[in-house]
Amino acid sequence: EVQLVESGGDLIQPGRSLRLSCAASGFTFEDYAMHWVRQAPGKGLEWVSGISWKSDDIGYADSVKGRFTISRDNAKNSLYLQMNSLREEDTALYYCAKDSGYHLIGSYCDYWGQGTLVTVSS
Amino acid sequence: QSVLTQPPSVSGAPGQRVTISCTGSSSNIGAGYDVHWYHQLPGTAPKLLIYGNSNRPSGVPDRFSGSKSGTSASLAITGLQAEDEADYYCQSYDSSLSGSVFGGGTKLTVL
């Protein structure tokens, strides 16, 4: 059974940094691209970032480009999101999602975690 | 505003058919990239509903169907049931943004 468990969410002040983690199990992690998708309170889904299976293709939403960094450790079956210079508008539930394939273009998310909440507020 | 445009809400009575549209542009749906659909029940994570424009994952009833034409796509739900009440999102890839994009979401109410 595919399981994605996010962690690292917290209440944090604007301008600070936070690192989210996603522990994956139930599939061969190194064979699939992975994504972070967020959902602000009462709002829709927003794709944040994606990383291919070998980390050779990485993409970011314009809203986080230059502030967030996605990475993965295939040996640890883990996905990460380093979030710097956090803003109040980054407040959201952050989902880790498994891609259906190994690259980012044209693919979809076939499994999702339950999310970890990031609240940016002074 | 979202890159993919969906109606904020749709509604229908039990047993009826409803459709949800997803309108994009020449850099996403119109460029030939597939459209995928998710539904999200309140307080839960999104779940894949339709992939590759019209394919259903195992376990999804055939009451749900997807189609794509030009720069738009549609999700149709027939035989509406109370448990279909949820938020529905379309998703595709955008070559100008070099990333995935979601629609703004559509809230389906079963009357």
PDB file of all heavy atoms in Angstrom, chain A residues 60-75:
ATOM      1  N   TYR A  60       9.235  24.747 -10.364  1.00  0.00           N
ATOM      2  CA  TYR A  60       8.636  25.499  -9.269  1.00  0.00           C
ATOM      3  C   TYR A  60       7.537  26.415  -9.805  1.00  0.00           C
ATOM      4  O   TYR A  60       7.622  26.920 -10.922  1.00  0.00           O
ATOM      5  CB  TYR A  60       9.675  26.382  -8.566  1.00  0.00           C
ATOM      6  CG  TYR A  60      10.807  25.634  -7.916  1.00  0.00           C
ATOM      7  CD1 TYR A  60      12.022  25.482  -8.571  1.00  0.00           C
ATOM      8  CD2 TYR A  60      10.660  25.087  -6.648  1.00  0.00           C
ATOM      9  CE1 TYR A  60      13.067  24.785  -7.988  1.00  0.00           C
ATOM     10  CE2 TYR A  60      11.699  24.385  -6.046  1.00  0.00           C
ATOM     11  CZ  TYR A  60      12.892  24.245  -6.723  1.00  0.00           C
ATOM     12  OH  TYR A  60      13.926  23.552  -6.129  1.00  0.00           O
ATOM     13  N   ALA A  61       6.535  26.632  -8.980  1.00  0.00           N
ATOM     14  CA  ALA A  61       5.554  27.661  -9.287  1.00  0.00           C
ATOM     15  C   ALA A  61       6.225  29.019  -9.174  1.00  0.00           C
ATOM     16  O   ALA A  61       7.146  29.202  -8.365  1.00  0.00           O
ATOM     17  CB  ALA A  61       4.381  27.571  -8.317  1.00  0.00           C
ATOM     18  N   ASP A  62       5.767  29.975  -9.966  1.00  0.00           N
ATOM     19  CA  ASP A  62       6.368  31.313  -9.915  1.00  0.00           C
ATOM     20  C   ASP A  62       6.284  31.907  -8.511  1.00  0.00           C
ATOM     21  O   ASP A  62       7.156  32.671  -8.102  1.00  0.00           O
ATOM     22  CB  ASP A  62       5.665  32.234 -10.916  1.00  0.00           C
ATOM     23  CG  ASP A  62       6.049  31.941 -12.352  1.00  0.00           C
ATOM     24  OD1 ASP A  62       7.057  31.222 -12.566  1.00  0.00           O
ATOM     25  OD2 ASP A  62       5.355  32.431 -13.265  1.00  0.00           O
ATOM     26  N   SER A  63       5.233  31.560  -7.781  1.00  0.00           N
ATOM     27  CA  SER A  63       5.008  32.136  -6.458  1.00  0.00           C
ATOM     28  C   SER A  63       6.065  31.729  -5.431  1.00  0.00           C
ATOM     29  O   SER A  63       6.195  32.387  -4.387  1.00  0.00           O
ATOM     30  CB  SER A  63       3.622  31.745  -5.949  1.00  0.00           C
ATOM     31  OG  SER A  63       3.491  30.332  -5.909  1.00  0.00           O
ATOM     32  N   VAL A  64       6.817  30.667  -5.713  1.00  0.00           N
ATOM     33  CA  VAL A  64       7.808  30.198  -4.735  1.00  0.00           C
ATOM     34  C   VAL A  64       9.216  30.152  -5.314  1.00  0.00           C
ATOM     35  O   VAL A  64      10.177  29.873  -4.584  1.00  0.00           O
ATOM     36  CB  VAL A  64       7.441  28.808  -4.172  1.00  0.00           C
ATOM     37  CG1 VAL A  64       6.026  28.815  -3.618  1.00  0.00           C
ATOM     38  CG2 VAL A  64       7.611  27.730  -5.221  1.00  0.00           C
ATOM     39  N   LYS A  65       9.345  30.426  -6.599  1.00  0.00           N
ATOM     40  CA  LYS A  65      10.641  30.337  -7.264  1.00  0.00           C
ATOM     41  C   LYS A  65      11.640  31.274  -6.593  1.00  0.00           C
ATOM     42  O   LYS A  65      11.343  32.432  -6.314  1.00  0.00           O
ATOM     43  CB  LYS A  65      10.479  30.688  -8.740  1.00  0.00           C
ATOM     44  CG  LYS A  65      11.546  30.135  -9.649  1.00  0.00           C
ATOM     45  CD  LYS A  65      11.162  30.350 -11.119  1.00  0.00           C
ATOM     46  CE  LYS A  65      10.016  29.466 -11.538  1.00  0.00           C
ATOM     47  NZ  LYS A  65       9.691  29.596 -12.978  1.00  0.00           N
ATOM     48  N   GLY A  66      12.823  30.733  -6.314  1.00  0.00           N
ATOM     49  CA  GLY A  66      13.861  31.519  -5.656  1.00  0.00           C
ATOM     50  C   GLY A  66      13.798  31.481  -4.141  1.00  0.00           C
ATOM     51  O   GLY A  66      14.740  31.913  -3.465  1.00  0.00           O
ATOM     52  N   ARG A  67      12.699  30.977  -3.593  1.00  0.00           N
ATOM     53  CA  ARG A  67      12.558  30.905  -2.118  1.00  0.00           C
ATOM     54  C   ARG A  67      12.483  29.450  -1.633  1.00  0.00           C
ATOM     55  O   ARG A  67      12.945  29.143  -0.537  1.00  0.00           O
ATOM     56  CB  ARG A  67      11.297  31.628  -1.674  1.00  0.00           C
ATOM     57  CG  ARG A  67      11.271  33.107  -2.016  1.00  0.00           C
ATOM     58  CD  ARG A  67      10.068  33.807  -1.375  1.00  0.00           C
ATOM     59  NE  ARG A  67       8.794  33.264  -1.836  1.00  0.00           N
ATOM     60  CZ  ARG A  67       7.860  32.758  -1.027  1.00  0.00           C
ATOM     61  NH1 ARG A  67       8.059  32.715   0.267  1.00  0.00           N
ATOM     62  NH2 ARG A  67       6.718  32.296  -1.529  1.00  0.00           N
ATOM     63  N   PHE A  68      11.890  28.585  -2.434  1.00  0.00           N
ATOM     64  CA  PHE A  68      11.715  27.186  -2.042  1.00  0.00           C
ATOM     65  C   PHE A  68      12.665  26.308  -2.853  1.00  0.00           C
ATOM     66  O   PHE A  68      12.939  26.587  -4.025  1.00  0.00           O
ATOM     67  CB  PHE A  68      10.288  26.726  -2.305  1.00  0.00           C
ATOM     68  CG  PHE A  68       9.246  27.312  -1.386  1.00  0.00           C
ATOM     69  CD1 PHE A  68       9.523  28.381  -0.539  1.00  0.00           C
ATOM     70  CD2 PHE A  68       7.960  26.795  -1.372  1.00  0.00           C
ATOM     71  CE1 PHE A  68       8.562  28.914   0.300  1.00  0.00           C
ATOM     72  CE2 PHE A  68       6.974  27.310  -0.542  1.00  0.00           C
ATOM     73  CZ  PHE A  68       7.273  28.380   0.285  1.00  0.00           C
ATOM     74  N   THR A  69      13.117  25.211  -2.229  1.00  0.00           N
ATOM     75  CA  THR A  69      13.971  24.242  -2.914  1.00  0.00           C
ATOM     76  C   THR A  69      13.463  22.833  -2.623  1.00  0.00           C
ATOM     77  O   THR A  69      13.327  22.443  -1.455  1.00  0.00           O
ATOM     78  CB  THR A  69      15.428  24.356  -2.452  1.00  0.00           C
ATOM     79  OG1 THR A  69      15.914  25.680  -2.688  1.00  0.00           O
ATOM     80  CG2 THR A  69      16.302  23.361  -3.208  1.00  0.00           C
ATOM     81  N   ILE A  70      13.191  22.106  -3.681  1.00  0.00           N
ATOM     82  CA  ILE A  70      12.746  20.720  -3.542  1.00  0.00           C
ATOM     83  C   ILE A  70      13.956  19.803  -3.700  1.00  0.00           C
ATOM     84  O   ILE A  70      14.890  20.100  -4.453  1.00  0.00           O
ATOM     85  CB  ILE A  70      11.664  20.377  -4.588  1.00  0.00           C
ATOM     86  CG1 ILE A  70      10.995  19.042  -4.277  1.00  0.00           C
ATOM     87  CG2 ILE A  70      12.238  20.399  -5.998  1.00  0.00           C
ATOM     88  CD1 ILE A  70       9.778  18.737  -5.180  1.00  0.00           C
ATOM     89  N   SER A  71      13.943  18.712  -2.969  1.00  0.00           N
ATOM     90  CA  SER A  71      15.022  17.729  -3.096  1.00  0.00           C
ATOM     91  C   SER A  71      14.487  16.361  -2.680  1.00  0.00           C
ATOM     92  O   SER A  71      13.392  16.257  -2.108  1.00  0.00           O
ATOM     93  CB  SER A  71      16.231  18.111  -2.237  1.00  0.00           C
ATOM     94  OG  SER A  71      15.881  18.126  -0.859  1.00  0.00           O
ATOM     95  N   ARG A  72      15.252  15.347  -2.977  1.00  0.00           N
ATOM     96  CA  ARG A  72      14.846  14.001  -2.599  1.00  0.00           C
ATOM     97  C   ARG A  72      16.073  13.178  -2.252  1.00  0.00           C
ATOM     98  O   ARG A  72      17.182  13.454  -2.733  1.00  0.00           O
ATOM     99  CB  ARG A  72      14.072  13.322  -3.734  1.00  0.00           C
ATOM    100  CG  ARG A  72      14.853  13.123  -5.019  1.00  0.00           C
ATOM    101  CD  ARG A  72      13.945  12.658  -6.158  1.00  0.00           C
ATOM    102  NE  ARG A  72      13.357  11.348  -5.895  1.00  0.00           N
ATOM    103  CZ  ARG A  72      12.288  10.881  -6.523  1.00  0.00           C
ATOM    104  NH1 ARG A  72      11.668  11.619  -7.424  1.00  0.00           N
ATOM    105  NH2 ARG A  72      11.833   9.668  -6.237  1.00  0.00           N
ATOM    106  N   ASP A  73      15.877  12.189  -1.412  1.00  0.00           N
ATOM    107  CA  ASP A  73      16.928  11.238  -1.053  1.00  0.00           C
ATOM    108  C   ASP A  73      16.357   9.852  -1.346  1.00  0.00           C
ATOM    109  O   ASP A  73      15.575   9.322  -0.551  1.00  0.00           O
ATOM    110  CB  ASP A  73      17.303  11.390   0.415  1.00  0.00           C
ATOM    111  CG  ASP A  73      18.498  10.533   0.809  1.00  0.00           C
ATOM    112  OD1 ASP A  73      18.734   9.491   0.148  1.00  0.00           O
ATOM    113  OD2 ASP A  73      19.185  10.879   1.783  1.00  0.00           O
ATOM    114  N   ASN A  74      16.734   9.304  -2.480  1.00  0.00           N
ATOM    115  CA  ASN A  74      16.173   8.013  -2.878  1.00  0.00           C
ATOM    116  C   ASN A  74      16.608   6.887  -1.939  1.00  0.00           C
ATOM    117  O   ASN A  74      15.883   5.899  -1.782  1.00  0.00           O
ATOM    118  CB  ASN A  74      16.561   7.693  -4.319  1.00  0.00           C
ATOM    119  CG  ASN A  74      15.824   8.566  -5.329  1.00  0.00           C
ATOM    120  OD1 ASN A  74      14.803   9.173  -5.003  1.00  0.00           O
ATOM    121  ND2 ASN A  74      16.345   8.654  -6.536  1.00  0.00           N
ATOM    122  N   ALA A  75      17.742   7.035  -1.312  1.00  0.00           N
ATOM    123  CA  ALA A  75      18.206   6.010  -0.367  1.00  0.00           C
ATOM    124  C   ALA A  75      17.338   5.995   0.894  1.00  0.00           C
ATOM    125  O   ALA A  75      17.211   4.965   1.552  1.00  0.00           O
ATOM    126  CB  ALA A  75      19.660   6.248   0.004  1.00  0.00           C
TER     127      ALA A  75
END
